[in-house]
Every structure is written in C-alpha cells, then in structure tokens.
Amino acid sequence: MSPSLILFAVPAFFALIGVELWLCRRRGRRGYRFSDALANLACGVGEQVIVSVVSGGVLVYLFLFERAALARLPEGALWSWAACFVAVDFCYYWAHRASHRVNFMWAAHAVHHQSEDYNLSVALRQSWLQRALSWPFFWPLAVLGFPTGMVVTTYTLNILYQFWIHTQLVGRMGPLEWALNTPSHHRVHHGVDSAYLDRNHGGVLIVWDRLFGTFCAEGAPPRYGVVQPLASFSALRANVDPWRRLARMAAAEPRLSGKLLVWFRPPEWRSTATSPDEGPLRTDPDYVLHDVARPRRARALAAALFLAALLGAIAYLHASPGMAAGPLWAGAVVLLAALAAVGALLDGPSLPAPGAAALDASSSRGAPLVDPRAR
C-alpha cells in the first residue's frame, strides 16, 4: 500500500471510528473496549512500518512483469482497470482462503482475527507478516501483463473497501448482499461458531465464495476472536505467539517429515505426539472475554505512548522512500519497540476485570459452540 494513500486514509479511519464509538454509546451498546481497540491500532501501525522496509513481494512482481509478461495491459484504458479489479479480487480470495487453511499462513493471518470485539478498529488490526506471504498469489498477474502500479493501487483500494465492513451497526443490505462483501457477510467471517469457520473469504466481491462453496449467510450473532484466544493486548505477542506455538508443535514431532508438515497442515490438525496446553477455548459456552483491569495512569501512559508512535510512524512513512537502509531499519525498530511497550502497559500483572463476563453476554446469543478447533 503506498504511503500517500495510507496517510490520506488515516484521518478518515479515525473519524469513522469516532463516529461508530459515538453511535454505540448513543444506542447503549458497548462496542469498544479501550485495551482491545488500542491493541488493534498498534497492530495496524506496526504493519505499515514493516511494509515500508520489506518489499520483496513487490520486487518479485516487478521482475516477473519485466521479464515474463505475455502481454502488457494499457494503464490508461478503463477496461484494463476493470479487468485488474476482478483479477486482484480473485487472487485475494484464494490468498485469504489459503491463510485460513495452511498453518504457517494462519500464523500470520490469525492476528487479524484475535480481537474478541467487532468494530472498525478491528479492520486496522493487521499482521506484520501477512503481506509478504500473500504476494505469491498475485505474481501470476505479472505474467498476464497487469502493470505493477495498477495491481498495487487496485489491491490498496480492495483493502480500503474492507474497512467499513468491520461493524455491527450496519444490518443486511438487500440485493447488494448477492454480489458484494458486506458487514453481514464479514461478521460471519470473523465468527468462531462452528458454522462460520472458514467462510466468506472475499475482498470486495462475495461471488467467489458463492462459486467455490465457502459462502455462509449470517444467522445467529457470531462470537468473535480465534478459537484459541491470545489472552493479551500486546501487538508484539499478537504477531509472535502463533509462530511460537507452531514452532513448539514442530519441535515435539519425532520425525523430520513431521516437523516440516506441521507448517503446512490445517490449523485444526493435532498430532498424537503433541498435547499443547491450550487453556480455555473461545468455543467454550462459559468462556469470558479476555480483559484486564489497569490503573488509569497505566491506560493514560499507554494512550500517550501510542499517540507518539502513531505520529512518529506518519512522519516515518513520509520520509521512508528516501531513507538509507540504516536509518530505515533503525526507525522501524524504535517504532516497533514503542508499540511493544504499549502492549506491556495494557497487559500488566492484573487479574481479569470483574465486568468481563457481562461484556460477553451480548455476543453469546448464538447456538452453543462445539467445534474444538484451535484456531
């Protein structure tokens, strides 16, 4: 995603989050929790910092386009952009679907699903590694002749579209539900209910899910999160813990082939050689939302540190195209360290907040969850 589009979108993101927060309070709904929302935003800021220093996927695409393109679509033609929109959305569907079915890809993508709330801040909860793992699904477009800039711009717009569908305040949208990915469809995608797992992977269009058998209409209100909860508000842990868990599973396998296959198996797979201590699952009927009671001073310090990191990241993204490698990486390390410190302040040593159980009541009205898949 180009820095110019990111910086243009940031004020709109925060303005819309503010509007949603205001509407939730006006309607008597507790749609936001401070620590969860701040963790979501910290993940998003970190993702943009990482993308600014790791661009191998784009470079490979550019190389393939320059050396292996069968044709070159004209960038000024409207039909080229229309074809690129459909092609990018098609590739996005398969990249997204694979990220739910292959362990090493899920380890990255799980970050986006870890929030146990569902609001516009969740749209900004992005994995620091997902982009790098997704690019290979788009490389065939280079061979087909779609220019690099066209694909990057179309992909960016695809992701920006998906911001607004992360809300519980918009109901079903009539005939648009047949073709477009809507809040109703995407709520299903974020649900951990057994009927909702691995459904509705589309970006802008929902037609791919209808065509390839992964579509599910919204029924009972979903529970949100991942089946095996993170139990942390740290953006660093959000991105690291899924990989640590996979590494532990691989280490426990007695044979080399088993150690390798762990990374490519589906997320629900369990080996007889491993019995990970998974703790309470999000699918347990009596599960209580993860929350911690933090002193007001710690929350204020976390907010101030995040704001400083956000402003620093905006300045960093402005300057990064012209930076030398040394300052570029040093700036990234400083910003990621600041975001890790925000998470440490939010987690703290506290016990679960007394009101956490009540927070889950409004999101647990669906059918009992029985699927034990540790996602």
Side-chain angles (χ1 to χ4, degrees), residues 43 107-108 111 114 126-130 230 234-243:
C43 286
V111 177
Q114 289 162 348
Q126 297 294 326
S127 163
W128 297 353
L129 296 178
Q130 171 97 41
L230 175 66
S234 166
L236 181 62
R237 281 195 57 188
N239 282 273
V240 171
D241 277 18
W243 295 97

Side-chain angles (χ1 to χ4, degrees), residues 1-15 41-42 44-50 52 124 305-323 328 331-332 334-336 338-339:
M1 200 180 288
S2 65
S4 58
L5 284 176
I6 284 290
L7 297 178
F8 175 79
V10 164
F13 288 158
F14 279 90
L41 299 177
V45 172
E47 186 254 358
Q48 288 304 310
V49 171
I50 293 292
S52 70
L124 304 182
L305 184 56
F306 170 76
L307 181 59
L310 173 64
L311 295 176
I314 291 174
Y316 176 84
L317 291 172
H318 264 301
S320 61
M323 279 187 182
L328 186 69
V334 169
L335 289 169
L336 294 178
L339 296 173

Side-chain angles (χ1 to χ4, degrees), residues 190-215:
H190 276 259
V192 293
D193 310 65
S194 58
Y196 292 162
L197 285 175
D198 301 331
R199 299 289 185 173
N200 299 357
H201 302 295
V204 175
L205 302 175
I206 202 67
V207 293
W208 312 121
D209 291 281
R210 295 184 184 278
L211 286 173
F212 299 113
T214 52
F215 175 75

